[in-house]
Amino acid sequence: MPRRRYALRDRIAALDPERDHLEIYQLSAGREFPWDYTRALEFALFRTYCVPSISRLLAATGEFEKRPQQRYDDTALLMAEIAAHGYDSPRGREALKVVNRAHGRFAISNDDMRYVLSTFVHDPIDWLTKYGWRPPHEHERLAAFHYYREVGRRMGIRDIPESYSAFADFKRSYENEHFVFSPTNQKIGEYTVGLFAAWFPSFLRPLVRLAVRGMLDEPMLRAFGFRPAPRWVGAAGDLGLRTRALALRFFPPRRTSVLGVSPGNRTYPGYPAGYRPSDLGAPAPPDASTSR
């Protein structure tokens, strides 16, 4: 393989994963694996909808039913703004303010917030381990933990575990206890699958819906009440992603980061040109009974 293909990995290896966590995360998510991080974070959020207390709240807001694309874009862009500019930068603080204001409208438990945060750390690393064009470096694992730990603190999340492995243990335990079927899981899950399918031409949408089910593990299928896809669907998806990863080893390194840059965004065309993080976010919910 061309040595320069691994130049950013070598740069990451020379950095300190705690002190330099933001720079490492920016290199990893913005230049080394931008597509993979996007897909992995999509499925990380999808995974959180297997927790009934989370899906009930989302169903109560009506956002997934009325504005699924906007809600997806708001979440993706706000988190990208924080990563691209840093959580203590002006744009990063502005994005965090929008996120905290949205969460502050609802009675969300600290454990649910911790669980969602844990998926942002571990699900992308698990994805990269399986489908990245190279394995994630240990510094990328640790930097993701330290980065989201700092983001979580600024979101007011308490009792975040002290280490990468402890956070993984918390995530595993929380899923074992809370991944159970509920009608709202199924409802939010169906809206999300419909959103993914809507990104493709109509004749491909049934296949996309099948492919998404093929990517879900058994605990997610049970919690959503979804029928498993035929085994060949999951096998074909796995093969396609591994083939893509192999091909990408021969591509040159990305020269610029794509974090926070989404000119083809469906809700905010040309983003970030002409937009501020404060322009993002859902309107206030009509039903005040779900608020604090």
Side-chain angles (χ1 to χ4, degrees):
M1 308 296 173
R3 185 63 192 171
R4 68 189 183 100
R5 183 64 174 110
Y6 294 88
L8 290 178
R9 181 202 62 185
D10 295 342
R11 180 174 163 187
I12 287 168
L15 296 170
D16 182 279
E18 183 171 2
R19 183 190 64 228
D20 304 317
H21 60 262
L22 177 59
E23 181 178 356
I24 293 172
Y25 189 81
Q26 289 170 335
L27 290 171
S28 186
R31 293 179 62 183
E32 287 285 77
F33 305 105
W35 187 89
D36 297 279
Y37 262 92
T38 299
R39 301 288 84 77
L41 288 171
E42 287 168 357
F43 275 92
L45 281 171
F46 196 16
R47 191 171 191 86
T48 67
Y49 309 154
C50 293
V51 177
S53 56
I54 294 175
S55 68
R56 278 198 301 271
L57 176 62
L58 295 173
T61 69
E63 287 298 308
F64 270 80
E65 180 179 4
K66 299 171 185 175
R67 289 174 286 271
Q69 184 64 60
Q70 182 180 348
R71 192 186 189 285
Y72 169 86
D73 289 337
D74 287 337
T75 302
L77 290 175
L78 286 167
M79 298 309 293
E81 284 278 2
I82 297 167
H85 302 283
Y87 40 73
D88 286 335
S89 70
R91 287 187 76 99
R93 288 196 299 268
E94 188 176 324
L96 275 166
K97 185 177 180 180
V98 175
V99 172
N100 289 338
R101 185 175 64 236
H103 290 163
R105 295 170 178 160
F106 306 102
I108 307 173
S109 76
N110 188 68
D111 280 349
D112 280 353
M113 294 284 283
R114 280 198 300 167
Y115 172 63
V116 173
L117 192 71
S118 77
T119 68
F120 287 4
V121 174
H122 292 283
D123 283 33
I125 296 298
D126 291 344
W127 177 287
L128 294 179
T129 301
K130 291 179 66 176
Y131 301 127
W133 66 265
R134 62 165 175 82
H137 191 277
E138 181 65 12
H139 287 189
E140 289 171 301
R141 300 175 193 270
L142 296 176
F145 165 73
H146 289 295
Y147 168 73
Y148 277 110
R149 194 160 183 254
E150 291 302 318
V151 171
R153 284 171 172 168
R154 287 158 176 79
M155 293 173 64
I157 301 175
R158 305 180 306 280
D159 303 321
I160 300 171
E162 295 291 330
S163 70
Y164 179 91
S165 60
F167 214 4
D169 291 342
F170 164 80
K171 179 178 184 289
R172 187 161 41 249
S173 174
Y174 206 70
E175 290 181 351
N176 288 340
E177 181 178 352
H178 294 279
F179 270 31
V180 295
F181 172 77
S182 82
T184 54
N185 289 2
Q186 189 172 61
K187 183 178 182 180
I188 297 300
E190 288 173 348
Y191 287 149
T192 304
V193 174
L195 171 65
F196 293 160
W199 298 342
F200 296 85
S202 57
F203 71 93
L204 287 177
R205 290 173 189 171
L207 182 60
V208 173
R209 290 175 177 273
L210 188 64
V212 171
R213 295 209 327 266
M215 293 287 291
L216 305 184
D217 58 29
E218 182 61 30
M220 290 183 73
L221 289 168
R222 286 199 308 268
F224 282 130
F226 289 170
R227 287 183 298 104
R231 288 191 176 184
W232 66 265
V233 175
D238 185 80
L239 178 61
L241 289 167
R242 292 181 187 275
T243 301
R244 172 188 174 274
L246 181 62
L248 284 177
R249 295 180 186 178
F250 299 95
F251 281 56
R254 187 180 294 274
R255 293 180 179 273
T256 59
S257 176
V258 298
L259 281 173
V261 178
S262 184
N265 190 275
R266 293 171 174 83
T267 308
Y268 308 98
Y271 198 93
Y275 293 99
R276 299 287 309 177
S278 56
D279 296 324
L280 309 176
D287 184 4
S289 64
T290 59
S291 63
R292 290 186 188 274

